[in-house]
Amino acid sequence: MAGGKIQKKRHQQAPQQQRWGGGVPFEKSKGQHILKNPMLVETIVQKSGIKPTDVVLEIGPGTGNLTKKLLEVAKSVVAVELDPRMVLELNRRFQGTPHSSRLKVIQGDVLKCELPYFDICVANIPYQISSPLTFKLLAHRPSFRCAVIMFQREFAMRLVANPGDNLYCRLSVNTQLLARVFHLLKVGRNNFRPPPKVDSSVVRIEPRRPLPPVSFKEWDGLMRLCFNRKNKTLGSIFRQKSVLSLLEKNYKTLQALQLTQKEQMEEDKVSSEDVAVLADMVEDLGMGNNSDEKDDEEMQVDDTDMVGEASEGSSFKDKVLGVLRQGDFVEKRAAKLTQVDFLCLLSLFNKEGIHFS
């Protein structure tokens, strides 16, 4: 156009994606956050206590930064990786090196595949699989020596929380029933590429040997009741109509079946498969500490409903409360009970024929 200015169109560039050496972009939906700090990688390997005779299981090896250090100290490394692009890059990286014969790469979902024998597990995992993976490892047989795993910081602090701590929850109790758990070090988000939205922590997990002689289904049933409102007294929890109704139903069912003590012992025998029932931890992560307050009125209504019931129901209520009094548990709160306390409480209930599964 005469007198006009020719405007040059600028081509808008697409936002750049984070890429690693092979040129393939990261997929955050798969939890791909690669450790980029070599000093941190070295520290994790040192704290794993790997021996030259150890077989190491690595979960989520990514581009192999941690894998390389593990191969330098271990007998062999079995790496489980979901992303086929990462598997290809991993094989390329170690092909033709002295380490190649000691590295086995398994492509697949670690939660679905059968894990091989290993002495130590070292992993920087996608945080969305933290709970099911933890309990899958603890259910693995033969048992391993230890696992050193990178978790989201809040999840890690729940794992190691002690009675009375703000984050002490069913996840804490169930994990510590099966293993000793130690917090090793904090890891800032800037140690990863691309950086995640939260900070992380490295935790060491050592399976208990032998496992405690307890039915995990029974244990988990008791923990669900106690930690549903962890700051309520056990007396308040076990006076609820819904709780008493559930326990009485179980009680009458077992009475009708007339289980002998021997049969019950067989039913409660420790089984590694039963560990899986402890893995359902989703609600623990979203459980607030103020959730008890809004249910005060509901619990009071439940208590009122119990008044004036038939003598049979009242008798069972007395039986339940009698167990709590026997162990001086009426005024105690789950948030402050230890493993020994819970084991004692479960034993007292079971002796009276009261079961939670």
Side-chain angles (χ1 to χ4, degrees):
M1 179 181 291
K5 293 183 179 179
I6 299 176
Q7 294 182 349
K8 295 182 180 180
K9 294 183 178 180
R10 295 182 179 178
H11 296 283
Q12 293 183 349
Q13 295 182 347
Q16 293 183 348
Q17 291 180 303
Q18 297 272 0
R19 296 175 182 268
W20 40 278
V24 182
F26 293 106
E27 293 187 11
K28 290 186 178 181
S29 61
K30 294 182 180 179
Q32 293 176 348
H33 300 280
I34 309 302
L35 275 173
K36 67 177 184 179
N37 185 339
M39 293 299 295
L40 180 58
V41 172
E42 187 72 36
T43 300
I44 292 173
V45 173
Q46 289 177 355
K47 289 185 176 293
S48 300
I50 299 171
K51 301 176 182 178
T53 55
D54 284 339
V55 176
V56 176
L57 173 68
E58 185 185 8
I59 300 168
T63 57
N65 293 342
L66 181 57
T67 312
K68 182 177 182 295
K69 289 295 181 181
L70 293 174
L71 285 168
E72 291 175 1
V73 295
K75 177 182 178 180
S76 62
V77 173
V78 179
V80 182
E81 174 59 58
L82 177 63
D83 192 338
R85 305 169 309 156
M86 294 288 190
V87 172
L88 181 61
E89 180 68 15
L90 204 61
N91 286 325
R92 283 175 177 171
R93 179 169 184 173
F94 294 101
Q95 186 177 11
T97 70
H99 300 315
S100 60
S101 61
R102 296 188 290 108
L103 172 63
K104 179 181 179 180
V105 182
I106 300 174
Q107 182 183 334
D109 186 340
V110 69
L111 297 180
K112 297 178 181 178
C113 68
E114 184 176 348
L115 298 178
Y117 170 86
F118 63 94
D119 299 294
I120 290 180
C121 175
V122 181
N124 171 28
I125 64 170
Y127 293 153
Q128 60 265 32
I129 67 169
S130 296
S131 179
L133 176 62
T134 298
F135 287 94
K136 176 167 183 171
L137 290 174
L138 290 173
H140 182 72
R141 295 296 178 271
S143 185
F144 54 94
R145 191 162 77 247
C146 78
V148 176
I149 304 178
M150 182 89 68
F151 290 116
Q152 178 180 336
R153 177 156 175 75
E154 183 180 355
F155 184 90
M157 299 316 294
R158 289 178 184 273
L159 285 180
V160 302
N162 294 314
D165 291 348
N166 190 41
L167 292 177
Y168 189 61
C169 61
R170 190 160 59 91
L171 174 63
S172 318
V173 177
N174 283 352
T175 306
Q176 293 170 28
L177 174 72
L178 305 173
R180 287 175 289 272
V181 191
F182 308 94
H183 182 271
L184 297 182
L185 66 149
K186 301 177 184 178
V187 180
R189 63 194 75 182
N190 292 328
N191 289 286
F192 300 89
R193 186 179 68 250
K197 295 181 180 179
V198 295
D199 290 331
S200 307
S201 281
V202 178
V203 170
R204 182 183 177 95
I205 301 173
E206 298 178 357
R208 295 188 186 276
R209 300 180 185 179
L211 288 174
V214 61
S215 164
F216 296 134
K217 292 181 180 178
E218 282 289 295
W219 173 271
D220 191 54
L222 175 61
M223 294 305 101
R224 286 175 182 272
L225 290 181
C226 291
F227 279 93
N228 186 40
R229 295 290 175 262
K230 69 176 184 179
N231 291 314
K232 286 290 182 184
T233 64
L234 296 184
S236 296
I237 292 173
F238 284 92
R239 284 189 180 94
Q240 291 181 80
K241 184 176 180 179
S242 58
V243 173
L244 288 169
S245 176
L246 172 65
L247 296 181
E248 188 170 14
K249 181 180 178 181
N250 291 344
Y251 179 77
K252 288 181 177 180
T253 300
L254 290 174
Q255 290 293 313
L257 292 174
Q258 295 181 338
L259 289 176
T260 64
Q261 184 177 8
K262 181 178 179 180
E263 289 171 318
Q264 187 61 45
M265 288 176 65
E266 286 297 316
E267 181 185 53
D268 290 346
K269 187 180 293 182
V270 172
S271 168
S272 62
E273 287 79 7
D274 287 342
V275 177
V277 306
L278 304 182
D280 182 16
M281 298 295 155
V282 177
E283 66 269 35
D284 283 324
L285 294 179
M287 185 180 295
N289 295 316
N290 298 324
S291 58
D292 294 330
E293 298 176 2
K294 63 181 181 182
D295 292 300
D296 284 348
E297 184 177 349
E298 179 184 348
M299 295 185 70
Q300 291 171 3
V301 172
D302 286 340
D303 293 346
T304 304
D305 289 344
M306 291 302 299
V307 179
E309 287 189 347
S311 58
E312 184 179 359
S314 180
S315 174
F316 183 77
K317 177 182 176 182
D318 292 339
K319 187 181 187 72
V320 170
L321 295 179
V323 172
L324 296 179
R325 295 189 188 98
Q326 184 179 348
D328 195 26
F329 286 108
V330 177
E331 297 301 322
K332 292 183 178 179
R333 292 168 169 77
K336 296 187 178 181
L337 294 184
T338 66
Q339 296 283 324
V340 174
D341 292 329
F342 284 121
L343 287 169
C344 176
L345 179 59
L346 182 60
S347 176
L348 290 173
F349 272 121
N350 287 171
K351 283 180 181 179
E352 294 297 324
I354 299 173
H355 293 268
F356 298 86
S357 63

